[in-house]
Amino acid sequence: MSTGELLSIEPLELKFPFELKKQISCSLLLSNKTDNYVAFKVKTTNPKKYCVRPNTGIVSPRSTCDVIVTMQAQKEAPPDMQCKDKFLLQSVKTNDGATPKDITPEVFNKEAGNVVEECKLRVVYVSPPQPPSPVPEGSEEGSSPRGSVMENGNVNGAEFSNAAKAFSEQLEPQERSAEARSLLLKLTEEKNKANQQSNRLRQELELLKRQGSKSRGGVSILFVIIVGLIGLLLGYLMKKS
């Protein structure tokens, strides 16, 4: 952090997690710890490559201002990931109640007698954050990541996770992300299908149970009717005899 008489600037290095063909942004925090209105202006050695919002402004007394610096998408990486671009932040005390509309190039003109503070900022490219690599526990070399995913028609959650982890570890680093996502998608689809099949079998079993109960009830009534008819027939024959 740079602590000048007018503005404190943080950070002094603009760190961009460099990725090809992707816009990347970082922010600057300007803090005015004085009782004066302070005007600022941000310049860069490569204006076509960066977009600064706001590039000029007013920081009120005892307040802060965020400046967003956006690097345009790059088609190729620089040699050794080194960047020679630089920024310059100028600040000057201005009239009370000033607004951004009051800022003109003359405000930052040293030859006009204005006291202009300057702070140089460098650009640093850093590697983008990598997702943590899962470490399979208890997996055997050469084992199939699909093994034991289903057990008795139900999906085993622990085996599902271990299979995904084991497969991701076997892939080359550059292929791991896409292949792992593809496998996880397939395993998720299989899990959903297995759960649907399990629910369907459960519903059919309940239906068979209900139909069996009705069938047993029907046989009992028929048996009673047959027994009654036989009884009537025997009674009629006994009376005749």
Side-chain angles (χ1 to χ4, degrees):
M1 179 177 69
S2 172
T3 304
E5 294 183 3
L6 299 177
L7 293 179
S8 296
I9 304 166
E10 185 179 4
L12 293 179
E13 290 184 343
L14 296 173
K15 295 183 178 181
F16 292 93
F18 188 87
E19 293 185 59
L20 291 176
K21 300 179 182 179
K22 183 178 180 181
Q23 280 192 348
I24 309 165
S25 299
C26 65
S27 62
L28 288 172
L29 178 63
L30 311 182
S31 301
N32 181 4
K33 298 183 179 180
T34 72
D35 295 322
N36 303 307
Y37 283 76
V38 177
F40 71 88
K41 183 176 183 179
V42 182
K43 297 180 178 181
T44 178
T45 56
N46 198 340
K48 292 183 179 180
K49 184 176 178 180
Y50 301 94
C51 176
V52 183
R53 291 291 181 272
N55 61 341
T56 60
I58 299 289
V59 186
S60 302
R62 307 293 174 180
S63 65
T64 61
C65 177
D66 286 312
V67 176
I68 305 299
V69 181
T70 301
M71 182 176 67
Q72 304 301 321
Q74 301 298 299
K75 296 182 179 179
E76 57 183 18
D80 301 326
M81 291 294 288
Q82 299 296 318
C83 183
K84 297 181 180 180
D85 300 332
K86 289 182 171 46
F87 283 80
L88 178 67
L89 192 145
Q90 297 177 308
S91 58
V92 62
K93 184 169 67 174
T94 187
N95 299 328
D96 292 348
T99 66
K101 295 181 179 179
D102 299 324
I103 299 177
T104 63
E106 290 299 323
V107 172
F108 302 96
N109 188 355
K110 296 180 181 180
E111 295 179 358
N114 298 322
V115 180
V116 181
E117 283 190 359
E118 294 183 341
C119 179
K120 294 181 179 179
L121 310 173
R122 60 190 295 259
V123 176
V124 177
Y125 292 154
V126 297
S127 299
Q130 299 293 332
S133 298
V135 179
E137 297 181 0
S139 62
E140 296 182 0
E141 185 177 358
S143 61
S144 171
R146 294 178 179 268
S148 302
V149 174
M150 294 183 61
E151 183 178 347
N152 296 328
N154 295 322
V155 176
N156 189 319
E159 294 294 339
F160 177 84
S161 300
N162 289 336
K165 290 179 181 179
F167 185 81
S168 64
E169 281 296 310
Q170 294 171 3
L171 295 175
E172 293 296 329
Q174 64 270 24
E175 299 176 354
R176 179 178 300 167
S177 179
E179 293 294 335
R181 283 196 297 270
S182 177
L183 175 66
L184 287 175
L185 180 60
K186 291 180 181 178
L187 291 177
T188 302
E189 291 176 353
E190 291 182 4
K191 177 182 177 182
N192 293 335
K193 289 179 180 178
N195 289 334
Q196 291 174 1
Q197 184 178 8
S198 177
N199 292 333
R200 191 180 304 112
L201 291 174
R202 192 180 299 110
Q203 293 173 359
E204 292 177 356
L205 181 59
E206 292 294 334
L207 180 60
L208 290 174
K209 287 182 180 180
R210 288 196 295 268
Q211 291 177 349
S213 298
K214 292 180 180 179
S215 176
R216 285 194 297 271
V219 172
S220 299
I221 295 171
L222 179 60
F223 179 75
V224 171
I225 293 173
I226 294 173
V227 171
L229 291 174
I230 294 173
L232 291 175
L233 181 60
L234 290 174
Y236 176 73
L237 294 174
M238 290 176 66
K239 286 181 180 180
K240 270 194 168 188
S241 60

